[in-house]
Amino acid sequence: MIASTVCLVAALAPLALGTKSRAHNSTYYNPILPGFHPDPSCIFVPEWDNTFFCASSSFNAFPGIPLHASKDLQSWKLAGHVLNRQEQLPRLAETNRSTSGIWAPTLRFHEGTFWLVTTLVDDEKDANDASRWDNVIFKSDDPYNPSAWSEAIHFNFEGYDTSPVWDSDGKVYIVGGHAWRVFPGILLAEADLDTGEVGEWEIIWNGTGGTAPEGPHVYLKDGWYYLLAAEGGTGLEHMVTMARSKSIRGPYEVNPANPVLTNANTTNYFQTVGHADMFKDGAGNWWGVALSTRSGPEYIYYPMGRETVMVPVSWPDGEFPIWSSLKGEMSGWELPLENVQINGHGPLITKGDSVDFEPGSVLPAHFTHWRFPVAESYTVSPPDHPSTLRLDPSTLNLTALNGNYAGPSGQTFVGRRQQDTLFTYSVNLDFAPTSLEEEAGVSVFLTQNHHLDLGVVMLPAHSSTASFPGMNYSINSSELIPQLRFRGISYIPVPNDIVIPIPSAWTDKTLRLEIKAHNMTHYSMSAGPAGALSEMHTVLDVSNAAVSWGFTGVILGIYCTSNGYEGSTPAYFSKWRYIPQGQYRD
């Protein structure tokens, strides 16, 4: 029987009899989208120049819902962001809690339109409060054009991880994971995606008994509806399970080979594997994508958080699909020919940064804020400081009001995802603070309650806790002086604050601030005069366990704040560099 699928990417791929065998296998490496790219949903769209597209969760980050494109499943470029304007979903500004924001999108293509269905979650609300789930639909006729993505279309569902389904009879459904603390289950309702109207929700499957059945997708193949789900929670027990039925409404029979994908109870470096999706390529071969953390079973050091991985899937006619086991180096179906000619304004995901903020330029597409930025706080190449990025201070610092909420005034912060195990990130800083607690610097930022900062800050001289070797200072004065300060916040212990006077030889000079991952467990944070890098001093080495937590991944960036005081001095950053220096895959 010729295969068809409600997962429209596959429906639009060339039809094939089952899965073709290829002349030879290909070798590729996981993760395919390194860094903070969880909950992947991927499609293949022949109508758009045989391009693969993958969407991923963004939580409180903005622009939100990054969309990556590839021609060869190896070279992935940032095509854009589905959520790129505040008017599309204004409530993102109001989220309260680090685990709130945009959860698990599903990306599909149907009759010339790209559809993105997702949930804005207010995770601080009670589990029984149905208003914690704001399910939304975006659509576009051009995935590369930010303005083509619609404003949110809202629909009612007490749950999350919603996914659209086009049936063979023309009806459209949405399937989603019910709020599992109320009751666990996968639910289905008929839907109008243009209006957000939905019918009555009904339970179609309860999973296999694992915690929190969620992340469902439905695929129609060989006369069967195949239901894919995640169970076990997004930690070490995470797994992918499947069931199938002759009717989209069920009953669904469980795959006897469940779980079809997991690394639970193994020593594999890739852990927490789950929340999957499937797509078929132009040669008729199936692939599966999922999230995973590079943590090993110890689950301590994983600052890049949940990343996107890919495995080959064999899907014989009339049978359940067979997923390959996940590891760092994979052997799978023959990949499409190498092709880096990909549309989109962002970089290839493996590239580093060399950004000089030239006159007339804008912030790069992959630069990221935490919630909506105050646009006026970011000026590229101001006339009095060309080839710099001026940051005007926010009253709130990176922790903001309580480590979870920031209110409408925002936080002046911009960064880029850590996407390599080993890297060096550095930037020049010109900053002349004049009042108490004015601060600008660099941050290893995971969330408002998990970040490690190194900044220049105006403090009384007697606040000093240390000095650089060979440099002595009088620390008995209450005079305000510029000092280097490290401080961090996390749910696990972090080093005490370190406050070091800026050496007099560095006064009135441009400084260089640096964050370096020199192994898989620690960062070094350093500072020195930009014109004499041999004088760089390491302020401390700090464990990345403090930023290995939750749903997101590290963003490396710059900030400027008055720390709740009255300061208004701007900071000028230049020569932004991110140098990839190695990936650990086992």
Side-chain angles (χ1 to χ4, degrees):
M1 177 180 289
I2 293 178
S4 63
T5 179
V6 293
C7 193
L8 283 220
V9 54
L12 295 169
L15 299 178
L17 293 174
T19 302
K20 292 184 179 180
S21 61
R22 302 304 304 273
H24 60 83
N25 284 356
S26 299
T27 297
Y28 67 93
Y29 297 93
N30 279 313
I32 60 167
L33 297 180
F36 169 25
H37 297 106
D39 307 320
S41 180
C42 302
I43 60 176
F44 174 63
V45 187
E47 291 87 342
W48 280 79
D49 197 20
N50 292 312
T51 302
F52 302 90
F53 295 93
C54 282
S56 47
S57 299
S58 51
F59 295 88
N60 291 310
F62 181 84
I65 317 175
L67 187 65
H68 286 84
S70 178
K71 298 288 184 65
D72 58 14
L73 291 176
Q74 302 170 83
S75 304
W76 291 91
K77 185 177 183 180
L78 181 63
H81 293 85
V82 175
L83 180 55
N84 58 76
R85 308 180 306 279
Q86 185 166 354
E87 61 267 25
Q88 288 178 279
L89 193 60
R91 279 208 326 105
L92 182 66
E94 304 166 13
T95 57
N96 181 1
R97 197 167 177 178
S98 298
T99 51
S100 293
I102 296 293
W103 287 19
T106 296
L107 178 67
R108 295 292 183 258
F109 182 78
H110 181 67
E111 296 182 351
T113 299
F114 289 84
W115 297 90
L116 192 293
V117 181
T118 188
T119 315
L120 175 65
V121 180
D122 292 304
D123 204 30
E124 86 285 358
K125 293 184 178 179
D126 186 81
N128 294 303
D129 186 345
S131 70
R132 80 196 306 264
W133 315 107
D134 185 4
N135 283 279
V136 294
I137 302 163
F138 299 97
K139 63 180 181 177
S140 174
D141 59 8
D142 183 353
Y144 300 107
N145 180 1
S147 63
W149 285 101
S150 70
E151 294 185 10
I153 302 163
H154 300 260
F155 66 95
N156 291 322
F157 175 56
E158 189 178 358
Y160 57 105
D161 291 2
T162 40
S163 175
V165 183
W166 288 262
D167 205 348
S168 56
D169 63 2
K171 291 183 178 180
V172 184
Y173 299 87
I174 292 177
V175 61
H178 193 266
W180 66 273
R181 294 186 187 276
V182 179
F183 68 82
I186 304 300
L187 275 63
L188 178 86
E190 196 168 346
D192 184 330
L193 300 183
D194 287 302
T195 65
E197 294 182 33
V198 293
E200 183 178 351
W201 291 95
E202 54 187 299
I203 300 174
I204 60 172
W205 196 45
N206 290 315
T208 65
T211 303
E214 58 191 9
H217 301 297
V218 174
Y219 313 84
L220 176 57
K221 183 179 183 294
D222 307 330
W224 290 92
Y225 294 89
Y226 289 87
L227 175 58
L228 177 74
E231 298 184 59
T234 194
L236 292 174
E237 301 303 316
H238 211 192
M239 58 183 170
V240 181
T241 58
M242 295 194 72
R244 69 178 184 175
S245 174
K246 286 292 187 178
S247 167
I248 194 170
R249 300 179 186 274
Y252 281 83
E253 63 181 56
V254 174
N255 183 353
N258 279 332
V260 296
L261 182 67
T262 186
N263 274 349
N265 303 308
T266 73
T267 59
N268 197 296
Y269 186 43
F270 287 80
Q271 290 288 327
T272 72
V273 183
H275 198 103
D277 196 4
M278 291 190 294
F279 61 92
K280 189 166 62 173
D281 67 19
N285 293 314
W286 286 87
W287 301 85
V289 289
L291 69 80
S292 178
T293 54
R294 284 183 278 175
S295 63
E298 300 80 12
Y299 205 42
I300 298 173
Y301 306 107
Y302 52 100
M304 288 177 282
R306 304 181 305 163
E307 306 173 284
T308 292
V309 296
M310 183 175 74
V311 300
V313 175
S314 175
W315 202 338
D317 291 344
E319 299 180 21
F320 279 102
I322 302 166
W323 295 59
S324 299
S325 298
L326 170 66
K327 51 188 176 181
E329 181 178 310
M330 298 291 303
S331 178
W333 306 121
E334 184 176 0
L335 293 166
L337 294 176
E338 183 177 352
N339 185 347
V340 297
Q341 302 303 311
I342 310 163
N343 290 331
H345 301 293
L348 290 170
I349 200 163
T350 55
K351 296 295 184 182
D353 293 345
S354 180
V355 181
D356 290 321
F357 307 111
E358 297 94 341
S361 66
V362 297
L363 292 182
H366 66 293
F367 276 28
T368 299
H369 304 277
W370 198 244
R371 300 191 189 86
F372 300 121
V374 176
E376 295 76 15
S377 296
Y378 306 84
T379 306
V380 176
S381 197
D384 56 339
H385 287 78
S387 297
T388 69
L389 174 62
R390 186 182 74 200
L391 297 189
D392 292 333
S394 54
T395 301
L396 298 178
N397 58 30
L398 295 183
T399 304
L401 296 175
N402 57 3
N404 285 302
Y405 186 59
S409 61
Q411 299 159 281
T412 301
F413 169 77
V414 64
R416 60 106 70 222
R417 286 163 170 81
Q418 178 186 340
Q419 292 174 184
D420 300 88
T421 310
L422 308 178
F423 68 87
T424 299
Y425 168 73
S426 58
V427 67
N428 284 1
L429 171 63
D430 284 289
F431 183 49
T434 59
S435 65
L436 180 66
E437 284 284 356
E438 288 188 318
E439 182 178 8
V442 294
S443 181
V444 179
F445 183 89
L446 182 75
T447 66
Q448 288 170 235
N449 42 34
H450 295 81
H451 54 93
L452 307 168
D453 310 330
L454 178 63
V456 174
V457 58
M458 202 68 163
L459 292 172
H462 59 66
S463 300
S464 303
T465 65
S467 63
F468 289 129
M471 301 180 185
N472 297 314
Y473 310 89
S474 172
I475 60 173
N476 295 320
S477 170
S478 60
E479 175 189 7
L480 293 178
I481 61 171
Q483 308 211 48
L484 282 169
R485 178 170 66 188
F486 163 82
R487 63 178 176 179
I489 180 174
S490 178
Y491 287 170
I492 70 169
V494 296
N496 293 330
D497 291 3
I498 299 173
V499 180
I500 301 174
I502 300 287
S504 58
W506 301 1
T507 303
D508 299 325
K509 292 184 177 180
T510 301
L511 300 183
R512 188 75 175 165
L513 302 180
E514 178 185 277
I515 301 167
K516 184 180 181 70
H518 53 81
N519 59 36
M520 65 178 289
T521 63
H522 283 73
Y523 301 108
S524 62
M525 306 185 78
S526 306
L533 297 184
S534 62
E535 298 179 28
M536 290 284 289
H537 288 270
T538 299
V539 176
L540 84 164
D541 289 334
V542 57
S543 170
N544 65 33
V547 287
S548 299
W549 177 87
F551 295 163
T552 61
V554 159
I555 300 170
L556 303 160
I558 56 178
Y559 65 92
C560 185
T561 178
S562 66
N563 282 301
Y565 289 81
E566 299 299 319
S568 60
T569 303
Y572 298 86
F573 293 89
S574 59
K575 296 189 182 301
W576 170 296
R577 303 290 185 266
Y578 175 85
I579 304 172
Q581 293 169 317
Q583 295 281 21
Y584 288 3
R585 295 187 172 93
D586 52 32

